[in-house]
């Protein structure tokens, strides 16, 4: 019998992330350095209890929180989010770009990324991505029949020379008119930990602009700042692309409260230019006509009382400590010819084995690691299906997010022993 599924239904593959999570769940002795989960120990249980109690103490605040809300998000949370972003961007923020009327609240930034792609892309369109990039973003592209082209990544963000080459090549082949956006994970990137400098964001935006005439339409810079608030030190944070000239028309910014507060409260947010804002709002109307109000009020309370900021300081300290534990373990147990990318924040280290040694899903290294009860994310899963280059398979994403300090030490020792057998 013919399939009943839509083209998209038929095309949508098994997300690699579910397989990795399943493996972690079904093997109790396994140490997972794969999950991008936050640390249970940092989750604000008492704080959330107190704030929810405050909200539900009276019908006046409790009833609206338990009612449906507005599609774009609760007014107070949109305002608090705009203020929060203004604070992060400091003197570079402007009332024009960081206005609460441009903020949309979503059920996690994942939903916002999905809806943005729905608003922008038809089947066969192209998105430029970092090589490597966030693998669930790649799953959306795969499912929706959107093509990806990889742009090489350096430790301070994308390789601008390569970006220009890719754009020029697409122009020459006539494919530029299908390019809709460049997707960058700009802070402590998933999977490499790399952070994009403001100079690179600015140069990338200018390059996209330069190629727009040939494309015949705007090419957006889609900035995903999911890990921005997980910065280890207290120095100044890099401003977003929203602070650059022309950003109001060309930058789509997405952020999340999942990483700094709690993924179980699953709130994302974005600042979107027109006509994307209006279209995404309409699409969200069809998805769910508004994110869970109770969760929005929880975050609004946390932000307005200043308790959110105090909580984030603790979270950052915790991850900085765990990253230091992993760094020491890597230095002790990993062979010297493995190149390690260290990050100033986020949840990940990126390890590159010498060329020719595979760390991919089917590799001997991955199988031996599983046998030794330790799991990592094979780097190859983070590369787009791009016919113009082969996928590197000699890399691994190693997370210190959810594992305990003891498991980080043990896991790295096990992985190091596996690697020494092969290198
Ligand atoms: C780079 C990146 N963007 C977006 C997300 C989505 O997070 P959420 O939907 O919880 O906001 C994640 C989650 O791991 C991520 O790593």
């Amino acid at each position: 019998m013919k399939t009943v599924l839509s083209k998209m239904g038929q095309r949508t593959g098994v997300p690699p992330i579910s397989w990795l999570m399943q493996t972690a769940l079904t093997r109790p002795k396994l140490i997972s350095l794969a999950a991008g989960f936050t640390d249970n120990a940092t989750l604000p249980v008492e704080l959330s209890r107190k704030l929810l109690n405050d909200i539900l103490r009276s019908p006046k605040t409790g009833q609206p929180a338990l009612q449906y809300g507005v599609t774009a998000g609760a007014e107070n949370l949109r305002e608090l989010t705009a203020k929060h972003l203004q604070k992060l961007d400091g003197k570079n923020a402007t009332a024009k770009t960081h206005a609460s009327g441009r903020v949309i609240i979503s059920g996690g930034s994942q939903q916002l990324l999905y809806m943005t792609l729905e608003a922008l892309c038809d089947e066969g369109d192209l998105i430029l991505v970092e090589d490597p990039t966030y693998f669930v973003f790649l799953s959306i592209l795969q499912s929706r029949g959107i093509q990806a082209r990889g742009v090489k990544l350096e430790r301070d963000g994308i390789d601008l020379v390569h970006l220009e080459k890719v754009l020029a090549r697409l122009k020459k082949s006539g494919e530029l008119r299908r390019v809709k956006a460049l997707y960058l994970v700009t802070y402590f990137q998933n999977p490499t930990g790399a952070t994009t400098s403001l100079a690179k964001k600015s140069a990338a935006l200018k390059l996209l602009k330069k190629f727009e005439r040939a494309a015949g339409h705007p090419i957006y810079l889609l900035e995903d700042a999911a890990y921005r608030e997980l910065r280890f030190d207290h120095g100044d944070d890099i401003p977003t692309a929203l602070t650059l000239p022309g950003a109001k028309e060309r930058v789509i910014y997405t952020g999340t409260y999942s990483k700094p507060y709690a993924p179980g409260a699953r709130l994302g947010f974005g600042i979107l230019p027109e006509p994307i804002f209006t279209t995404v709002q309409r699409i969200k109307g069809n998805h769910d006509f508004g994110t869970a109000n109770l969760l929005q009020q929880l975050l609004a309370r946390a932000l307005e009382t200043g308790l959110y900021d105090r909580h984030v300081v603790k979270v950052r300290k915790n991850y900085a400590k765990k990253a230091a534990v992993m760094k020491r373990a890597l230095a002790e147990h990993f062979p010297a010819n493995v190149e390690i990318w260290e990050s100033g924040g986020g949840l990940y280290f990126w390890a590159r084995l010498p060329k020719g040694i595979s760390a991919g899903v089917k590799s001997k290294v991955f199988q031996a690691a599983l046998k030794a009860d330790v799991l990592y994310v094979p780097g190859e899963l983070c590369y787009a299906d791009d016919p113009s280059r082969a996928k590197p398979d000699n890399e691994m994403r190693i997370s210190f997010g959810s594992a305990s300090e003891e498991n980080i030490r043990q896991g790295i020792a096990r992985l190091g022993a596996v690697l020494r057998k092969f290198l």
Side-chain angles (χ1 to χ4, degrees):
M1 219 193 285
K2 254 179 85 181
T3 177
V4 71
L5 293 174
S6 67
K7 278 193 195 137
M8 189 181 111
Q10 293 175 59
R11 198 169 43 222
T12 304
V14 182
I17 195 170
S18 52
W19 173 76
L20 286 169
M21 280 182 183
Q22 192 59 24
T23 308
L25 287 175
T26 51
R27 297 177 58 151
K29 278 199 282 179
L30 185 106
I31 295 179
S32 177
L33 304 176
F37 279 26
T38 51
D39 191 348
N40 269 347
T42 66
L43 296 175
V45 176
E46 277 166 37
L47 174 57
S48 301
R49 183 166 58 234
K50 176 191 162 341
L51 297 170
L52 286 170
N53 263 331
D54 288 348
I55 295 165
L56 299 175
R57 183 156 293 139
S58 75
K60 191 165 166 249
T61 52
Q63 284 170 354
L66 292 173
Q67 187 53 274
Y68 280 127
V70 182
T71 306
E75 229 23 78
N76 59 345
L77 185 60
R78 290 172 76 199
E79 262 166 41
L80 288 158
T81 300
K83 270 202 198 123
H84 186 58
L85 289 173
Q86 280 166 23
K87 204 165 90 189
L88 289 175
D89 276 336
K91 60 179 173 18
N92 300 292
T94 68
K96 217 172 66 174
T97 46
H98 295 58
S100 63
R102 305 183 70 224
V103 172
I104 190 158
I105 305 292
S106 57
S109 55
Q110 187 64 35
Q111 186 195 36
L112 194 49
L113 292 171
Y114 193 94
M115 294 187 303
T116 300
L117 289 173
E118 276 188 323
L120 268 181
C121 296
D122 289 309
E123 218 180 299
D125 279 350
L126 267 156
I127 298 284
L128 307 182
V129 298
E130 290 159 310
D131 240 356
T133 188
Y134 170 43
F135 53 83
V136 193
F137 186 80
L138 293 178
S139 294
I140 310 177
L141 299 184
Q142 188 276 331
S143 167
R144 300 205 57 85
I146 302 164
Q147 295 181 50
R149 291 290 178 273
V151 180
K152 282 183 198 151
L153 185 67
E154 299 172 320
R155 292 203 186 197
D156 64 342
I158 46 158
D159 177 337
L160 293 164
V161 176
H162 192 227
L163 174 62
E164 184 155 20
K165 256 193 206 155
V166 171
L167 286 163
R169 204 174 57 218
L170 291 166
K171 182 177 168 189
K172 204 164 158 209
S173 65
E175 291 168 288
L176 198 62
R177 56 195 168 75
R178 308 234 58 168
V179 175
K180 296 292 179 66
L182 166 67
Y183 171 67
L184 302 179
V185 182
T186 45
Y187 298 84
F188 322 118
Q189 194 231 26
N190 179 4
T192 63
T195 291
T196 310
S197 64
L198 186 61
K200 282 205 166 175
K201 291 182 200 178
S202 167
L205 197 58
K206 282 188 189 139
L207 263 178
L208 297 180
K209 191 92 197 161
K210 185 176 137 187
F211 280 86
E212 276 190 2
R213 204 212 271 264
H217 55 67
I219 307 177
Y220 292 95
L221 174 59
L222 171 51
E223 174 167 34
D224 175 344
Y227 296 88
R228 182 178 192 185
E229 292 187 60
L230 303 190
R231 199 173 78 252
F232 300 153
D233 69 51
H234 294 273
D236 281 345
D237 143 80
I238 294 179
T240 62
L242 287 171
T243 62
L244 297 167
K248 187 161 179 266
E249 289 74 36
R250 291 294 182 269
V251 173
I252 303 170
Y253 179 85
T254 65
T256 184
Y257 290 121
S258 288
K259 309 288 176 187
Y261 192 84
R266 211 65 200 284
L267 289 171
F269 51 86
I271 292 202
L272 284 65
E274 285 297 354
I276 318 289
F277 181 87
T278 300
T279 311
V280 165
Q281 199 178 339
R282 290 176 186 166
I283 290 175
K284 187 161 169 63
N286 293 339
H287 271 247
D288 59 13
F289 42 92
T291 301
N293 231 346
L294 183 62
L295 301 178
Q296 294 193 67
Q297 292 315 314
L298 168 64
L299 255 294
R301 286 249 164 177
L303 286 160
E304 76 195 350
T305 51
L307 295 171
Y308 174 90
D309 285 342
R310 271 160 57 188
H311 174 69
V312 172
V313 171
K314 281 196 258 170
V315 170
R316 285 156 63 166
K317 273 196 192 137
N318 176 67
Y319 289 128
K321 188 156 166 260
K322 290 174 80 177
V325 169
M326 186 170 270
K327 184 180 173 180
R328 275 196 299 278
L330 286 165
E332 187 178 340
H333 299 289
F334 267 38
N337 55 350
V338 176
E339 181 190 331
I340 303 288
W341 285 29
E342 187 188 343
S343 188
L347 303 176
Y348 313 108
F349 278 86
W350 182 243
R352 275 183 161 162
L353 310 188
K355 281 225 166 70
I357 310 270
S358 174
V361 180
K362 300 219 168 81
S363 68
K364 288 186 181 139
V365 169
F366 188 71
Q367 296 309 322
L370 265 185
K371 212 163 156 206
D373 272 326
V374 59
L375 190 67
Y376 61 87
V377 173
E380 67 179 1
L381 299 178
C382 311
Y383 285 89
D385 289 325
D386 175 345
S388 66
R389 56 108 180 87
K391 274 188 201 186
D393 67 351
N394 60 322
E395 295 156 323
M396 26 173 95
R397 187 192 81 174
I398 313 169
S399 172
F400 49 84
S402 59
S404 65
E405 289 186 17
E406 181 46 32
N407 277 355
I408 290 174
R409 282 186 212 100
Q410 277 255 0
I412 294 295
R414 288 182 195 175
L415 207 46
V418 166
L419 290 176
R420 279 199 303 274
K421 267 198 256 167
F422 293 96
L423 300 189

